[in-house]
Every structure is written in structure tokens, then in C-alpha cells.
Amino acid sequence: MSKRERKLQKALKILSEKLTHEYGSGWSVETLTLCRKFFNVYSKIVNGVYEIEDSNSKATIYANFNLSWSHYLILMRIENEEERHFYEIESFNQNWSVRQLQRQVSSSLFERLALSRDKNEVMRLANEGQILEKPSDILKNPLTLEFLGLRPESSYSESKLEEVIINKLQMFLLELGKGFLFESRQKRFTFDEDNFYVDLVFYNRLLQCYVLIDLKTDKISHQDLGQMQMYVNYFDRFVKQDFEKPTIGILLCKTKNDSLVELTLPKEANIYAQEYALCLPDKKILKEKVKEWISEFEENNI
């Protein structure tokens, strides 16, 4: 421990004793250390709020401290300001519990969303949170399903995957993101006397459209893509109301081939191949990728 650190610890100990004597318990050295860290992290305090500078417009956004102390104990561990701002915004807007915030930070939600978007949208993500304006905004890279309890190396069927998702539906909705409502599993529809079944049907109230999910425990094929195209076409023609937006189709798979997807589907298709992972991603690798993107963004906007 350096001389400066020893002096700081001594000062905190003296302050702790004085505050405890005057106000009672709750003013330990550990608590004061966290209070000091809070001030250092949120040092741009002006009249009870802290400033967030929007890199695009150079405007200053003011945000109140609307979260609990337990939330800030988690947020203070995040060194990157853009990432921390994102989690603050989403915690408040989505009313995340402390446990939900911890899970989203551990699963690298910010990095996964950033890597699923255009580089120019990364800073907007940091300053505004997750905004749903178009179908691709619901994608993450990858979708992390560690809460299902399935081991990556184990063998399981698509019906098993569907079953555990339904059993953990609340967590699955949290991972999907904003505005998702669950409608049905194995949704049957009949066309030309043949029955077809969509694994999972959701509705997104923000995008105002149906979201169909087909589960694949292996890499997808062009037949899988064609089948999803048929599902989407049926919903658009026979289920969707006039005021609703076109249906989104998602093939949730272990691995995907972007070239195959691009070759099979027309450019305007509202269908996406989305990889999922059964374990938490390597946060260090994702952080490095996002750091590169942010650096490129800043260099191009000097």
C-alpha cells in the first residue's frame, strides 16, 4: 500500500468513527470507500444530476439518480462510460431489478447489441439505450441462453430446447428485449389442407408486429429458411391486421452461414438467422471489438 493510500485509509477511519458517533451505525470504512468511489465515477454532478454528452449532437443530457444504491454498486464497477450509461438508461426504462441488471451486465448485453448494429449506431446505443425502430434492432450477437441450464457440449432435441425456453419464459423474454409478448408455442395453422406449426410466436408491441421463432439445434439449411419464409408470408396475408407492421421471422440456431442466408432470401425479406449461446460470452473479447468500433467512430467524426 502506498503512502497516499495509507493516508486515505486513515482519514476514512477517522471520518467513519466521527459519523458513527454522531449518526449511528452504517458509516463503516467500506461504506465510505464506496461513497467516495460513487463520487469519483459520477463526478460531473450539477444541481443533483449528472451530465451525459451526446457525441453526435454535442448536446448535454441530464439524468437523475433514479436507481437504488444496490444498482449503483453494480454500475460503478463498469469502467467504460458509454457502457455504464447504457445500463443506467435501460435499468430505469425497463425497471430492471438488481438481479436482472447483474445478469445483463454479466451477459455483455451492451457489447452484443453494439456488435449487431451499424458502427454509426454504437454511440446512440450508449446515449439513448436500446431503441426499436426497425426489425434488425431486436437482434443480439449472440442471443445468450445460459439460464436454460443446457450444457453446450450436451446433445438435446429441438423439442427439449423449446420446453426449457417455455419453463424459463420470463428470463427468455428479458433476453429477447423490449416490448415482447408471448402468444403461443407450436402455433398451428392450416393451409391447403396441410397443418404447419411455428415453434414460438411472440408479438412486439413497440414494433407492432408478430415475431415468429423457429428453433434449430444445428446449423440452418436453405430448406429451413424457405420454411420460415412461408410462415412469415402466411402471417402477413392471413393473420396480420392492416395497421400492423410486417411479420418478422427468426431462425434461432447454433451456427449460421451468412452467405447461405443472403443467397437464399430476397434482400427485402424480414427474416433473420440468429445464433444463440448456452454460456456467457467472453466479455473481454467483446469489449475489445466494441472498443475498436468506438475508436473508428471517433476518428471518423473528428
Side-chain angles (χ1 to χ4, degrees), residues 185-242:
R185 65 183 292 194
Q186 290 299 311
K187 178 76 172 182
R188 186 184 73 175
F189 65 88
T190 302
F191 183 75
D192 202 19
E193 299 184 354
D194 288 325
N195 293 325
F196 301 92
Y197 299 85
V198 185
D199 288 342
L200 300 170
V201 178
F202 295 87
Y203 190 86
N204 190 284
R205 61 182 181 82
L206 300 179
L207 292 175
Q208 290 190 305
C209 68
Y210 283 98
V211 179
L212 313 181
I213 296 181
D214 229 10
L215 304 173
K216 302 297 174 185
T217 57
D218 204 344
K219 64 180 180 180
I220 58 173
S221 65
H222 66 278
Q223 292 95 335
D224 297 326
L225 293 164
Q227 178 176 266
M228 177 56 78
Q229 180 72 74
M230 187 266 288
Y231 291 169
V232 167
N233 289 345
Y234 180 87
F235 268 73
D236 279 345
R237 296 174 189 178
F238 302 107
V239 181
K240 180 179 76 68
Q241 300 291 310
D242 291 339

Side-chain angles (χ1 to χ4, degrees), residues 141-205:
N141 185 18
L143 200 71
T144 301
L145 307 179
E146 90 293 343
F147 53 86
L148 297 180
L150 294 173
R151 295 183 179 181
E153 67 277 7
S154 65
S155 177
Y156 52 90
S157 65
E158 291 168 4
S159 60
K160 175 64 176 179
L161 179 59
E162 179 184 323
E163 180 183 346
V164 292
I165 285 176
I166 294 300
N167 291 338
K168 300 280 188 178
L169 188 58
Q170 185 177 4
M171 291 295 292
F172 188 67
L173 287 171
L174 177 66
E175 174 62 12
L176 285 179
K178 292 183 177 180
F180 278 95
L181 305 172
F182 176 65
E183 179 176 300
S184 180
R185 65 183 292 194
Q186 290 299 311
K187 178 76 172 182
R188 186 184 73 175
F189 65 88
T190 302
F191 183 75
D192 202 19
E193 299 184 354
D194 288 325
N195 293 325
F196 301 92
Y197 299 85
V198 185
D199 288 342
L200 300 170
V201 178
F202 295 87
Y203 190 86
N204 190 284
R205 61 182 181 82

Side-chain angles (χ1 to χ4, degrees), residues 65-82:
F65 293 108
N66 293 311
L67 303 173
S68 73
W69 176 243
S70 296
H71 283 84
Y72 288 110
L73 290 178
I74 297 172
L75 292 167
M76 284 190 294
R77 301 185 202 127
I78 303 174
E79 296 181 3
N80 182 274
E81 280 191 45
E82 289 80 11

Side-chain angles (χ1 to χ4, degrees), residues 75-92:
L75 292 167
M76 284 190 294
R77 301 185 202 127
I78 303 174
E79 296 181 3
N80 182 274
E81 280 191 45
E82 289 80 11
E83 181 183 354
R84 190 188 320 120
H85 292 163
F86 167 79
Y87 287 114
E88 289 167 5
I89 294 168
E90 289 298 297
S91 292
F92 177 70

Side-chain angles (χ1 to χ4, degrees), residues 1-14:
M1 185 182 292
S2 66
K3 185 177 181 180
R4 182 176 180 277
E5 289 174 334
R6 286 196 297 271
K7 285 185 176 181
L8 175 60
Q9 287 298 310
K10 184 178 180 180
L12 288 174
K13 185 177 180 181
I14 294 172

